[in-house]
């Protein structure tokens, strides 16, 4: 898997936080890792495999994001003028959480890459114009 595909898997796993209790998440992580992973584009859909190392990387990133969630949400709230995490769409909130984590806590990912990848995720999974909203918040976070 390439980094974008791995990031997408982290996003999909992190998205489950919005629909499950903290107590249910270990089981959700297990189910997620056991489920087939599909790579979809405009023309086709194919199953891709995730190596054991990639699975562990995804889980480790997920765990680290969750451990920083209250700080990440505070950063989002401070930079989303007129918005708060409880008013944001679940997809947009999850994308922002992932990107803010990468900007603030993951030194291996350049800020510009984190923002660009968040915009791409929002174009793929978010509402029509959410990519510009996400880009604006992340530009503010990156200052």
């Amino acid at each position: 898997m390439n980094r974008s595909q791995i990031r997408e898997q982290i996003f999909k796993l992190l998205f489950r936080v919005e629909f499950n209790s903290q107590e249910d998440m270990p089981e959700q992580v297990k189910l997620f890792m056991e489920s087939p992973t599909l790579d979809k584009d405009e023309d086709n859909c194919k199953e891709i495999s995730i190596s054991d190392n990639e699975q562990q990387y995804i889980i480790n990133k997920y765990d680290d994001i969750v451990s920083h969630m209250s700080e990440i949400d505070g950063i989002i709230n401070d930079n989303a003028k007129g918005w708060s995490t409880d008013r944001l769409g679940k997809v947009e909130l999850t994308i922002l959480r992932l990107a803010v984590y990468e900007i603030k806590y993951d030194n291996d990912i350049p800020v510009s890459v984190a923002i660009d990848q968040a915009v791409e995720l929002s174009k793929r999974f978010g509402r029509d114009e959410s990519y510009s909203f996400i880009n604006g918040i992340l530009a503010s976070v990156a200052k």
Side-chain angles (χ1 to χ4, degrees), residues 1 6 9 14 18 30 34 36 45 47-48 57 66 69 85 87 89-90 95 107 113 122 134 139:
M1 294 182 88
I6 289 172
Q9 296 308 306
L14 189 60
E18 294 301 311
K30 183 178 180 242
E34 292 172 351
C45 179
E47 188 172 332
I48 54 176
Y57 180 84
V66 170
M69 193 85 78
T85 53
R87 288 187 56 220
K90 292 178 182 354
I95 292 169
N107 295 328
V113 171
S122 65
I134 286 173

Side-chain angles (χ1 to χ4, degrees), residues 11-12 14-16 18-19 76 85 87-99 118-128 130-131 133-134:
F11 160 75
K12 289 177 179 178
L14 189 60
F15 186 68
R16 291 181 179 215
E18 294 301 311
F19 301 97
I76 293 168
T85 53
R87 288 187 56 220
L88 294 172
K90 292 178 182 354
V91 168
E92 289 75 16
L93 176 58
T94 303
I95 292 169
L96 285 168
R97 284 175 170 162
L98 175 56
V119 168
E120 290 305 312
L121 280 172
S122 65
K123 286 179 180 177
R124 186 162 178 193
F125 295 103
R127 296 181 186 146
D128 289 341
S130 66
Y131 68 90
F133 176 73
I134 286 173

Side-chain angles (χ1 to χ4, degrees), residues 5-142:
Q5 291 170 319
I6 289 172
R7 182 179 285 104
E8 183 176 318
Q9 296 308 306
I10 296 167
F11 160 75
K12 289 177 179 178
L13 180 56
L14 189 60
F15 186 68
R16 291 181 179 215
V17 168
E18 294 301 311
F19 301 97
N20 296 281
S21 69
Q22 187 176 5
E23 295 80 29
D24 291 340
M25 282 310 297
E27 180 67 17
Q28 288 297 315
V29 170
K30 183 178 180 242
L31 290 170
F32 181 82
M33 289 302 164
E34 292 172 351
S35 299
T37 302
L38 301 176
D39 185 29
K40 299 175 186 176
D41 61 26
E42 293 176 12
D43 299 322
N44 62 41
C45 179
K46 63 180 178 178
E47 188 172 332
I48 54 176
S49 62
I50 303 176
S51 72
D52 291 341
N53 286 343
E54 291 166 338
Q55 282 188 12
Q56 195 56 53
Y57 180 84
I58 291 165
I59 292 168
N60 289 345
K61 289 295 179 182
Y62 161 80
D63 286 340
D64 205 28
I65 293 167
V66 170
S67 74
H68 290 93
M69 193 85 78
S70 63
E71 297 138 41
I72 291 169
D73 284 357
I75 292 168
I76 293 168
N77 286 328
D78 290 345
N79 289 278
K81 305 299 180 210
W83 290 85
S84 63
T85 53
D86 57 339
R87 288 187 56 220
L88 294 172
K90 292 178 182 354
V91 168
E92 289 75 16
L93 176 58
T94 303
I95 292 169
L96 285 168
R97 284 175 170 162
L98 175 56
V100 169
Y101 167 81
E102 290 179 339
I103 291 167
K104 294 294 187 181
Y105 300 100
D106 192 336
N107 295 328
D108 294 336
I109 299 174
V111 171
S112 60
V113 171
I115 294 172
D116 180 61
Q117 290 296 304
V119 168
E120 290 305 312
L121 280 172
S122 65
K123 286 179 180 177
R124 186 162 178 193
F125 295 103
R127 296 181 186 146
D128 289 341
E129 300 298 318
S130 66
Y131 68 90
S132 61
F133 176 73
I134 286 173
N135 188 52
I137 292 173
L138 295 177
S140 177
V141 168

